[in-house]
Amino acid sequence: MASSETVPAVGRKARGLAPFLRSQMRNIAPFLTLIFLSGFFALASPSFATLDNLGNILTQVSVTGIIAVGLTFVILCAEIDLSIASIANVTGIAVAYFTLQESYVNIANIPLPGAVAILMSILLCALLGLVNALGLTVIGIPSFIMTLAMMQIAAGVSALLVRGQIAYKVPGLITTLGSGSIGGIPWIVIVAAIMLLGGHLVLTYTRFGRYVYMVGGNREAAEYSGLNVKLILGAVMVISAVCSGIGGMLGVAHFGSAQQNEFDTYLLDSIAAVVVGGTSLFGGRGGIGNTIVGLFVLGVLNNGLDHVNIDSFLKILIRGLILLAALVINVYAQRLREKATE
């Protein structure tokens, strides 16, 4: 009697495991990819699996991680922000523009006290995010088009501020956070970790975080429940711009200069980190935990390819293929989810 009851129970567990694995494919696939890449590069290069190199990877993904925090909020709402790299660039340039430069820097800038320069730069990126928010929620411009226009606007402001020149000095606090360290740990890694943790706590434990998931999961249901959807959408666009601005300021200090087009590659890197990590492009699924996994996947991939001396052009191709694979998994997981709810 006991054995006849046990077999159906096991069968039910087996049948229940497959739907669970399918539903979690978006989360499992990036983690398995990270394990595979780490193992492969550790075997391919003795210099890869070291504590020093782990520190290099963390430093290399820090600016991307800071920018990706805000982008995660946007994508969770089933929107996109293509202006993140340009806003990072213009904010980094602005904080240098408001800092007294050396005499050999040929920029007609406006020197201000360090704290004021930082505040003005943050206000600038917040203002650009607010313009994105108003275009999306008040005028009704799709986020893809609105942020594409903002990408050009921010790039234009950057060009006007430096006019093809390069600035080097930024306020002392930004220099410390961008290029300094404490106890051997770079400050930029600590800032990235704090911002990722803060984003996770907001999304997981606050009412605003629940609203973000509601808007991304089912916008009509969120509206019918009385939620101010436009306010949430506007808020995430501003959050994205401010995170990009902070990443831009620290990035300028980390790289040692502020110049046009300095952060152009961070648009693809940030989107890839969020999507490769498993956050759904259709909204409502994923989070900062997924973004962290995505950051490590990209960090391990870029760093590992350098250790095995892969052709730089092939490196770009491999990154593109991994992003494509992540998009395929993302879309396929969405289809499985829709079938499960039918």
Side-chain angles (χ1 to χ4, degrees):
M1 178 72 70
S3 61
S4 64
E5 293 177 354
T6 303
V7 173
V10 173
R12 286 194 298 272
K13 289 180 180 178
R15 288 193 297 271
L17 182 60
F20 172 78
L21 291 176
R22 286 197 298 268
S23 67
Q24 294 298 314
M25 180 175 62
R26 185 186 290 115
N27 298 320
I28 295 172
F31 190 70
L32 293 178
T33 302
L34 176 59
I35 293 175
F36 170 78
L37 290 174
S38 300
F40 173 78
F41 289 124
L43 293 174
S45 173
S47 60
F48 176 81
T50 63
L51 286 177
D52 286 342
N53 193 50
L54 175 61
N56 291 336
I57 293 173
L58 291 174
T59 304
Q60 289 164 5
V61 301
S62 292
V63 174
T64 305
I66 293 170
I67 296 173
V69 171
L71 185 62
T72 302
F73 280 77
V74 174
I75 292 180
L76 281 173
C77 284
E79 300 292 347
I80 192 65
D81 187 351
L82 299 180
S83 64
I84 49 176
S86 292
I87 290 178
N89 204 49
V90 73
T91 309
I93 287 175
V95 78
Y97 182 82
F98 292 126
T99 303
L100 181 64
Q101 300 293 317
E102 300 291 347
S103 58
Y104 57 80
V105 177
N106 188 25
I107 296 175
N109 65 331
I110 305 174
L112 297 172
V116 179
I118 296 172
L119 179 61
M120 291 289 289
S121 302
I122 292 177
L123 287 176
L124 173 62
C125 64
L127 176 62
L128 296 178
L130 183 61
V131 173
N132 277 337
L134 293 175
L136 172 64
T137 60
V138 177
I139 303 176
I141 304 173
S143 59
F144 180 90
I145 301 300
M146 182 63 230
T147 58
L148 184 64
M150 180 54 68
M151 178 173 67
Q152 295 298 314
I153 293 170
V157 174
S158 297
L160 285 173
L161 291 179
V162 294
R163 297 183 179 275
Q165 302 299 311
I166 301 175
Y168 298 97
K169 292 193 67 175
V170 293
L173 175 62
I174 299 300
T175 301
T176 299
L177 295 180
S179 59
S181 62
I182 179 171
I185 303 175
W187 271 111
I188 195 169
V189 174
I190 296 173
V191 173
I194 291 172
M195 292 191 64
L196 286 163
L197 176 61
H200 173 71
L201 293 176
V202 169
L203 286 172
T204 307
Y205 298 108
T206 69
R207 183 177 297 178
F208 176 76
R210 291 194 296 272
Y211 289 167
V212 168
Y213 281 103
M214 288 174 62
V215 170
N218 192 325
R219 192 166 296 184
E220 289 186 5
E223 290 177 344
Y224 288 140
S225 67
L227 184 62
N228 190 335
V229 171
K230 289 185 177 181
L231 181 61
I232 300 300
L233 292 176
V236 300
M237 298 307 290
V238 174
I239 290 171
S240 178
V242 171
C243 289
S244 298
I246 294 173
M249 287 192 293
L250 299 189
V252 162
H254 182 69
F255 300 137
S257 65
Q259 53 188 305
Q260 290 175 239
N261 308 319
E262 190 168 20
F263 292 88
D264 284 0
T265 59
Y266 283 84
L267 173 59
L268 178 59
D269 287 347
S270 301
I271 294 175
V274 177
V275 176
V276 168
T279 295
S280 174
L281 286 167
F282 303 94
R285 292 289 186 278
I288 297 296
N290 297 83
T291 298
I292 292 173
V293 174
L295 286 169
F296 274 106
V297 169
L298 292 180
V300 167
L301 177 64
N302 292 332
N303 183 274
L305 290 175
D306 290 336
H307 277 262
V308 296
N309 296 320
I310 293 290
D311 186 294
S312 60
F313 295 101
L314 182 59
K315 177 179 175 181
I316 297 171
L317 173 61
I318 292 173
R319 288 177 60 194
L321 291 174
I322 287 182
L323 177 58
L324 176 61
L327 292 172
V328 171
I329 292 172
N330 210 302
V331 172
Y332 184 62
Q334 176 66 19
R335 290 178 180 174
L336 290 177
R337 177 188 168 198
E338 291 174 351
K339 287 181 180 179
T341 57
E342 288 179 353

